[in-house]
């Protein structure tokens, strides 16, 4: 079974985060070979400010270096990928899809079945791009996306595999202005039904940044990566995960930077 490298909150464009991401990629490509044995999952905030086209291009070029070296890379947007983090624009929803997926013609959840693993990626930000109910850096999945996820988990191809859900907003944190607003609805859908939950978003709070939440919602593995590029010195991880191992204590921080 392929191993998973979990990254999040790269914030390319902020101070030295772009350089850190580039160094991280250099070390992954040197240390983790053969590349086809790994899947890299990036759970959002790839750039620091989506209004800056040069940040999007730098981030895309660095992600493409991983792909060119043979790694399978799965990415999702965070709130910074649609704007500044607290102020976003719906125009960037399709921009992100076209840049990182090559097409805007699909809806989330994004399903990727790779050998024995089914990856289901959620967009926690698009539903918050409405001035009527937006509040700071909160996230929301929306009932349509949640219903599609519920149906996806019943699909025979998904049921027969290890099931990984990945998203940007931290589902277990309820800090005002940062929370995933419909996390309780998400819980009702995935509780005891998936093998791993990956996310980021929280990296400023020393209590929750990079914290492990194994067993929450009946899910054996639950990881917050924090900021993998250590934005502003915040705690962050680049975890290497092997789902063929039943014990998550076999997972480790790759310390690629």
């Amino acid at each position: 079974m392929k191993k998973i490298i979990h990254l999040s909150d790269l914030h390319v464009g902020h101070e030295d985060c772009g350089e850190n991401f580039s160094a991280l990629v250099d070390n992954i490509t040197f240390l983790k070979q053969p590349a086809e044995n790994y899947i890299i999952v990036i759970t959002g905030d790839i750039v620091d400010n989506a209004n800056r086209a040069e940040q999007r291009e730098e981030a895309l070029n660095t992600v493409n270096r991983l792909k060119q070296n043979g790694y399978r890379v799965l990415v999702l947007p965070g709130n910074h990928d649609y704007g500044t983090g607290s102020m976003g624009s719906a125009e960037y929803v399709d921009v992100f899809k076209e840049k990182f997926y090559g097409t805007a013609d699909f809806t989330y959840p994004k399903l990727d079945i790779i050998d024995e693993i089914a990856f289901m990626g959620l967009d926690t930000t698009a539903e918050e791009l409405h001035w009527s109910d937006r509040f700071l850096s909160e996230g929301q999945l929306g009932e349509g996306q949640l219903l599609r996820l519920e149906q996806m988990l019943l699909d025979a191809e998904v049921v027969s595999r290890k099931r990984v859900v990945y998203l940007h907003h931290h589902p277990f944190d309820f800090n005002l202005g940062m929370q995933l607003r419909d996390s309780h609805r998400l819980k009702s859908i995935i509780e005891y039904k998936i093998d791993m939950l990956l996310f980021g978003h929280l990296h400023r709070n020393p209590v929750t940044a990079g914290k492990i939440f194994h067993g929450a919602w009946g899910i054996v593995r639950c990881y917050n990566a924090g900021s993998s590029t250590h934005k502003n010195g915040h705690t962050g991880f680049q975890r290497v995960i092997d789902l063929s191992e039943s014990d998550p204590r076999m997972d480790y921080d790759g310390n690629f930077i």
Side-chain angles (χ1 to χ4, degrees):
M1 184 178 295
K2 296 181 189 295
K3 295 181 175 65
I4 297 162
I5 299 174
H6 178 209
L7 310 175
S8 196
D9 293 76
L10 306 174
H11 289 281
V12 170
H14 177 83
E15 296 184 358
D16 60 353
C17 287
E19 295 175 8
N20 287 348
F21 184 32
S22 182
L24 193 159
V25 168
D26 287 342
N27 288 325
I28 287 176
T29 55
F30 177 73
L31 295 169
K32 295 302 172 186
Q33 293 291 338
E36 57 266 25
N37 287 351
Y38 295 90
I39 302 163
I40 297 172
V41 178
I42 305 175
T43 52
D45 279 1
I46 301 173
V47 302
D48 197 58
N49 185 348
N51 298 301
R52 304 289 296 272
E54 69 273 16
Q55 292 187 14
R56 295 198 304 270
E57 292 306 313
E58 180 182 356
L60 182 63
N61 289 339
T62 308
V63 168
N64 283 342
R65 282 174 48 209
L66 286 166
K67 296 180 179 179
Q68 289 158 7
N69 279 282
Y71 295 90
R72 183 70 179 268
V73 183
L74 305 179
V75 303
L76 276 179
N79 49 302
H80 282 261
D81 298 307
Y82 290 159
T84 63
S86 58
M87 295 184 66
S89 173
E91 71 178 282
Y92 293 121
V93 175
D94 284 353
V95 169
F96 184 92
K97 289 179 179 179
E98 289 166 356
K99 287 288 184 182
F100 288 96
Y101 309 142
T103 178
D105 189 23
F106 75 94
T107 56
Y108 296 97
K110 184 177 184 294
L111 176 63
D112 291 275
I113 293 179
I114 306 173
D115 298 338
E116 306 98 326
I117 309 173
F119 292 90
M120 290 157 279
L122 304 174
D123 183 349
T124 58
T125 299
E127 286 292 321
E128 277 295 295
L129 298 176
H130 307 291
W131 286 105
S132 61
D133 61 359
R134 183 192 311 166
F135 184 60
L136 297 177
S137 299
E138 286 184 336
Q140 186 175 2
L141 292 159
E143 189 60 20
Q145 184 176 197
L146 287 164
L147 287 171
R148 290 190 295 273
L149 175 64
E150 194 167 29
Q151 289 300 309
M152 192 173 284
L153 285 166
L154 298 174
D155 185 273
E157 276 197 300
V158 172
V159 170
S160 63
R161 289 171 165 83
K162 294 286 186 181
R163 297 169 297 282
V164 176
V165 169
Y166 62 110
L167 65 162
H168 178 62
H169 279 76
H170 193 306
F172 309 126
D173 184 89
F174 298 99
N175 283 312
L176 185 65
M178 297 288 285
Q179 64 184 323
L180 180 64
R181 293 170 62 183
D182 41 10
S183 63
H184 292 295
R185 177 76 173 102
L186 175 65
K187 177 185 177 182
S188 72
I189 292 171
I190 67 174
E191 188 173 26
Y192 292 101
K193 293 179 182 174
I194 66 172
D195 299 282
M196 184 164 69
L197 184 61
L198 301 177
F199 48 93
H201 191 52
L202 258 293
H203 48 87
R204 288 179 296 177
N205 186 329
V207 175
T208 56
K211 190 175 179 182
I212 293 169
F213 295 82
H214 295 340
W217 298 358
I219 303 167
V220 173
R221 285 173 163 92
C222 299
Y223 286 119
N224 173 19
S227 171
S228 298
T229 53
H230 307 302
K231 179 183 179 182
N232 293 334
H234 300 155
T235 302
F237 297 86
Q238 307 106 36
R239 290 192 175 94
V240 182
I241 303 157
D242 185 354
L243 289 181
S244 68
E245 296 283 352
S246 60
D247 192 336
R249 288 177 297 181
M250 301 299 291
D251 305 335
Y252 60 92
D253 181 8
N255 287 310
F256 298 121
I257 56 168

